Amino acid sequence: MAYKLRSLISNKIVQAIEGFPIGGRGLKPSTILPCVQVDSKSGGEPEFGVSLKALHHLGIFTDHDDSTRSLAHVGSSLVEKLETDTTIPAAYLCQGKTDITLKFKVDYSLLASEVISITNNKPKSFWQCSALINLLPHERVVVEFSSPNIAKPFHVGHLRSTILGNFVAGLHAALGHTVTRINYLGDWGTQFGLLKYGYDSQNLTESDLKEDAVKKLYKVYVWANRQAESDPSVADTARQIFNKMERGDPEALSTWELFRRVSVEDLHGIYHRLNVYFDEYHGESMYGSEKCCEIVKAMEEKGLLEALPDGRKIYETKHGQKVTIVKSDGSMMYLSRDIAGAIERHDKYDFTKMYYVVENGQSDHFTHLFRILEQLGYDWVQGLKHIKFGRVQGMSSRKGTAVFLQNLLDEAQEVMMDKQEDTQTTKDSARVSMGKVAERVAVSSIIVGDLKQRRQRDYIFSWEKALQSRGDTGVKLQYVHCRLVSLERNCGFKYDSEMPLTPALLTQPPAARLIRELARFDEVLLETYSELEPCVLVAYLFTLCGSVNKALKQLPVKSAPREVGEARLAMFVAARHTLAAGLNILGVQPLEEM
C-alpha cells in the first residue's frame, strides 16, 4: 500500500506538466494517481511506473498522438523537468513495443515501513487508507444472487451465482459501499399447485417436515409430476390449486407458506457452510397479479404493448424480437415481475447500483428488462447491471450421479479428511476439529476453483484439480495462511505493532519482492472492482503466496538475530493480514491450522 509515494509521484508529474505548453493547466494529482502503479516485474527493489499512453488517454497531452515516437518525446521532456530528491531519487524512461513507461526509483525504506506499519495497525481495513480506494464515490449497492427454487434441494446449478454474488457483495462492502444482499427465490408458479396436490394426496402434515423437510418435499413433487404425466386431470387440479393461491385462498396460502419457511430454514444451513449470508429473502410471490397489472397498464400508456387476437400482449424489442408480457389466459410472465421488483427496490433502497448475478443464458431477459425500464422513464436504469457468468460442466459427485450441493460439500469434506488422516504431520490437537477444518478447506477449494476462472467462460469442474494440495488451489492459499499463523505463534517472541521497525534489515531480494506484492494490494482491488473479475484478485493471491513461500524459505525468523527476526516477523504478519483480507473478500474464511 504505497500511500505517500504514489501521491508524491503524482504531484511531481503535475508540477512537470504545468510548465508544458501542451499540458493542461489546473491538472489535479488525483487525476494521475490511478496511473501510478507498482512495477510488478521490477527485479530489485520496488519501482513505480506510469504509462504515458494512459496519461494520453486522459487527455493530458492534447497536442501529441499516442505513437511511441511521440510519447518518447513527451517522456524525455517530462524526465528533464521532474525534480528528484531522496524520497524519489531518479526517474527514467522504459520503452516497450506499444507504450513508453515513466519509471521512478523510490526510497525503499519509506515504502517498506509504510506498507508494513499501516497494514499491521489496521489489519481489517488497511486498504481503505489508500488514496486509490478513496477516489471511489460512495454508493448504495443492491446485489441479487443465488436465487434457488424453494421446496427443492439446492442444486449445484445455483452454486456459481452464489459464489460470484457473494464475492461482488463482499468486494463492494470492503471498499466502503453500503451493500444489501438479496436472495430472490423461485417461490411462485403452477409447480406449487402440483406440490400441494402431492402433499395432500400423501396425507402429509407439518410434523412430517420436522426433519429433512426439503428432501421430503422434493420426493413429493417428483411423485406428483409423474402422476400428472400419466393423468391430465392432475395437472388441471394443480392449476386450480395455484389459482386459489393467486386469489389469496387462506388454506392454499397457509400450506405454501409452510413450504417456503422450511425451505428457507434448509437454505440457511447450506449458506452457513458456504460462508454466505443475505440481508433479505425476496421472491417472485412478492409481485402478484395486482402489481404486474400496474406494470402492464404503464406499458400500455407508453404504447409499449401490442394486443394480439389470441389475447396475448407482447413487447417488441428494438431488434424486432417479440416478447410475451401477458399470456393468452391473462397470466403474467416473469419479466413483468422483474420490472415491478426493480421499481420497488429503487423506491426502498434508493440504490445507485443494482447487480443481477445470473448466468449468460439470461442476457436477453435483462436486455429487455433494462430497455423497458428506460422506456418507462426511469433514469436510474443506468445503475442496473447484469453480472454474466458461464456454466460449470462436469460438477457431479465422484460416483458420477447428478448432484445437489449438499452431496458435493459432503463428498469434498470426506476427501479432505482422508488427506488429513494420511498426513503424518497432522497434530493430535487438530484431530478433534478435523471434520470442521476439512469442510472449510473443501469449501475454500470449491470457491477458489470457481473464482480463479474468467467469469463469463464455461469451465469443466475437476475433483482432482479443486482438492489437490499442490498447485494454485484454495488448499494452497489456506496452507500459506496457516504457515504464517504458525510462524507468529512459534518464532520465539511476540509481534508488537509498537516496536520500532528497521526496514534496512529487509533489503534481501525475497523481502523486496514480498514488500512489492504487499504494496500492490490496493491496485489489485481497484482493477478487480473495475472489471468485477474475481480471477484478478485470485491470481494476485497466488503470486503473493509464491513470494511468501520464497521469503519463508530464505529469511528465517526464529534463528535470526532478534532485531532482524523482529523486522522479518513484522513483514510476515503484514503478509498474513493481506492474504486474509483477500480471502475474506472472496468469501473464504482463513484457517489458522490445518
Side-chain angles (χ1 to χ4, degrees), residues 545-565:
C545 285
S547 297
V548 167
N549 284 333
K550 289 179 181 177
L552 286 171
K553 185 177 182 179
Q554 299 180 45
L555 304 175
V557 174
K558 190 173 184 178
S559 62
R562 188 171 185 88
E563 188 178 9
V564 174

Side-chain angles (χ1 to χ4, degrees), residues 299 315-325 335 339 362-375 381:
M299 292 181 69
Y315 166 76
E316 185 170 342
T317 69
K318 60 181 180 180
H319 299 296
Q321 184 180 355
K322 295 184 177 180
V323 180
T324 300
I325 302 296
L335 179 57
I339 297 168
Q362 294 295 313
S363 292
D364 286 347
H365 170 78
F366 287 104
T367 298
H368 303 330
L369 172 63
F370 301 161
R371 177 63 174 163
I372 291 171
L373 286 167
E374 182 181 15
Q375 290 180 299
V381 71

Side-chain angles (χ1 to χ4, degrees), residues 332-352:
M332 306 292 176
M333 297 295 288
Y334 66 91
L335 179 57
S336 61
R337 290 194 289 270
D338 275 357
I339 297 168
I343 296 170
E344 185 173 284
R345 289 176 188 175
H346 189 267
D347 291 341
K348 181 176 181 180
Y349 305 110
D350 191 27
F351 58 74
T352 48

Side-chain angles (χ1 to χ4, degrees), residues 5-20 23-24 27-29 31-33 35-37 48-52 55 58 60-61 74 77-79 81-83 88 91 102-104:
L5 288 168
R6 200 188 305 276
S7 296
L8 287 172
I9 291 171
S10 300
N11 288 335
K12 287 185 178 294
I13 293 175
V14 169
Q15 291 169 5
I17 290 176
E18 282 182 343
F20 264 12
L27 180 64
K28 295 181 178 180
T31 303
I32 293 176
L33 199 70
C35 299
V36 181
Q37 302 281 304
F48 286 77
V50 179
S51 161
L52 295 186
L55 293 183
L58 289 174
I60 294 174
F61 308 128
V74 171
S77 300
L78 268 177
V79 170
K81 294 179 184 242
L82 281 165
E83 296 184 3
I88 303 174
L102 179 58
K103 294 286 191 70
F104 293 88

Side-chain angles (χ1 to χ4, degrees), residues 231-468:
D231 184 355
S233 67
V234 173
D236 291 336
T237 301
R239 281 190 288 270
Q240 292 170 14
I241 293 172
F242 180 64
N243 286 336
K244 288 183 179 180
M245 291 170 57
E246 285 196 306
R247 292 197 302 270
D249 178 77
E251 191 274 332
L253 283 179
S254 176
T255 307
W256 169 82
E257 287 168 356
L258 171 64
F259 297 160
R260 193 183 194 280
R261 176 169 54 80
V262 297
S263 296
V264 171
E265 289 172 356
D266 185 78
L267 287 170
H268 282 161
I270 291 290
Y271 291 131
H272 178 73
R273 296 182 73 176
L274 291 173
N275 193 32
V276 172
Y277 75 90
F278 294 91
D279 297 298
E280 296 187 23
Y281 283 79
H282 291 185
E284 296 177 20
S285 59
M286 294 171 59
Y287 308 103
S289 58
E290 183 177 343
K291 291 185 178 180
C292 291
C293 284
E294 293 175 4
I295 297 302
V296 170
K297 182 179 179 182
M299 292 181 69
E300 287 175 333
E301 289 174 352
K302 292 283 187 177
L304 302 179
L305 290 183
E306 176 186 353
L308 299 183
D310 62 2
R312 286 183 298 146
K313 294 181 180 180
I314 63 169
Y315 166 76
E316 185 170 342
T317 69
K318 60 181 180 180
H319 299 296
Q321 184 180 355
K322 295 184 177 180
V323 180
T324 300
I325 302 296
V326 181
K327 293 191 287 188
S328 56
D329 62 1
S331 58
M332 306 292 176
M333 297 295 288
Y334 66 91
L335 179 57
S336 61
R337 290 194 289 270
D338 275 357
I339 297 168
I343 296 170
E344 185 173 284
R345 289 176 188 175
H346 189 267
D347 291 341
K348 181 176 181 180
Y349 305 110
D350 191 27
F351 58 74
T352 48
K353 285 184 179 177
M354 180 160 67
Y355 298 111
Y356 298 88
V357 186
V358 183
E359 57 112 357
N360 285 331
Q362 294 295 313
S363 292
D364 286 347
H365 170 78
F366 287 104
T367 298
H368 303 330
L369 172 63
F370 301 161
R371 177 63 174 163
I372 291 171
L373 286 167
E374 182 181 15
Q375 290 180 299
L376 288 174
Y378 296 106
D379 55 0
W380 45 260
V381 71
Q382 303 304 320
L384 305 183
K385 185 171 183 179
H386 174 202
I387 306 297
K388 308 174 185 178
F389 59 85
R391 294 183 177 181
V392 186
Q393 301 170 359
M395 186 169 274
S396 60
S397 68
R398 288 176 294 165
K399 299 173 184 177
T401 57
V403 68
F404 294 112
L405 184 59
Q406 188 82 25
N407 306 103
L408 184 72
L409 295 179
D410 289 345
E411 292 199 9
Q413 182 180 3
E414 289 176 13
V415 171
M416 295 313 303
M417 285 192 69
D418 291 343
K419 289 179 179 291
Q420 283 182 315
E421 290 172 351
D422 291 340
T423 302
Q424 295 180 357
T425 57
T426 299
K427 300 177 181 179
D428 291 337
S429 60
R431 293 184 185 278
V432 177
S433 58
M434 183 180 291
K436 182 177 180 181
V437 170
E439 176 170 87
R440 285 176 61 177
V441 174
V443 169
S444 303
S445 301
I446 292 170
I447 292 174
V448 173
D450 186 283
L451 295 182
K452 75 177 185 179
Q453 314 293 331
R454 294 296 294 184
R455 174 162 49 83
Q456 293 196 56
R457 291 181 182 172
D458 297 343
Y459 76 93
I460 299 174
F461 175 82
S462 166
W463 278 93
E464 290 73 21
K465 290 182 179 179
L467 299 177
Q468 65 185 5

